[in-house]
Amino acid sequence: EVRAGRHPRRPHPSEATPTSMTTTTQRRTPDHIAGAPRHHLVFEEMQSVLAARSFWLILGVITIAAAGNASSGVNVFPASYSQTTGVASTSDLDARSKFSNYGSSIVTLAAPGEKLITTYPGSHYAAVWGTSFSSGFVSGTAAMLLQWVPSMKQGDFENALATGAKKLNQDVGQGRLDVYTTLQKKVK
């Protein structure tokens, strides 16, 4: 909607805004605009992301983004933006997932992102992997915190996550999300 010149609907203050879109400079030119230079397309896409992000920040919306699945420390956006919670993936053994991006410029903290069961088309279930699924846990935690502290801002949210996170020494920011401890310490 932002790309088309329309702003998305104004979110309710209790809504967290997860996004799993990552943008790097290695994007391929879409077929429908094959004549356009690649750097121009990436710039336009980044401008759209920045416009949406600025709009959300003005409204005080908490922004959460998947860190990406390239096993890299290279900045990806929007996870690398300040005032955005970048989320990496961990395994069931509390280790950084081998595919997950990492590093302090991308990752605020990690959440489970391997062997998760979800619904699948055709009334089925499927096992899934990825930081997009990890960011859903963090978004859910934001929604619960905002129910108790509606005035919470991005910095307050990240501080609450850091206080409750299980510390890991694997380049995943503040550690692995611990919803129970985060809520217990923040909501008294």
Side-chain angles (χ1 to χ4, degrees):
E1 289 182 309
V2 172
R3 185 176 286 183
R6 297 183 309 268
H7 287 292
R9 71 174 178 81
R10 182 179 175 152
H12 186 272
S14 66
E15 292 180 283
T17 305
T19 180
S20 61
M21 182 184 75
T22 57
T23 304
T24 65
T25 56
Q26 299 172 350
R27 302 225 354 135
R28 293 176 48 189
T29 303
D31 293 337
H32 68 282
I33 44 178
R38 287 188 181 145
H39 67 278
H40 181 69
L41 296 173
V42 171
F43 178 76
E44 282 185 5
E45 186 172 288
M46 292 299 293
Q47 293 297 76
S48 295
V49 171
L50 284 170
R53 184 178 164 276
S54 296
F55 181 70
W56 293 333
L57 289 174
I58 289 168
L59 295 175
V61 174
I62 291 175
T63 55
I64 298 157
N69 302 318
S71 188
S72 171
V74 175
N75 285 351
V76 294
F77 297 92
S80 295
Y81 287 130
S82 64
Q83 297 295 309
T84 298
T85 303
V87 184
S89 170
T90 58
S91 70
D92 55 349
L93 300 174
D94 265 347
R96 179 178 57 84
S97 299
K98 291 182 182 187
F99 59 80
S100 181
N101 286 357
Y102 53 87
S104 61
S105 65
I106 307 169
V107 178
T108 305
L109 85 160
E114 291 187 26
K115 304 178 204 169
L116 304 173
I117 305 300
T118 188
T119 56
Y120 190 77
S123 300
H124 298 287
Y125 295 93
V128 294
W129 283 253
T131 59
S132 293
F133 298 101
S134 304
S135 63
F137 288 111
V138 179
S139 298
T141 303
M144 287 190 282
L145 284 170
L146 286 166
Q147 291 298 310
W148 289 96
V149 187
S151 62
M152 182 176 285
K153 302 291 183 220
Q154 188 80 33
D156 301 327
F157 173 65
E158 290 185 5
N159 288 337
L161 292 175
T163 302
K166 178 180 179 188
K167 305 305 178 210
L168 304 175
N169 295 321
Q170 300 170 358
D171 216 6
V172 290
Q174 298 295 330
R176 195 247 312 133
L177 175 68
D178 183 333
V179 178
Y180 179 78
T181 303
T182 299
L183 293 174
Q184 188 179 40
K185 289 185 176 189
K186 189 65 181 175
V187 179
K188 297 179 181 180

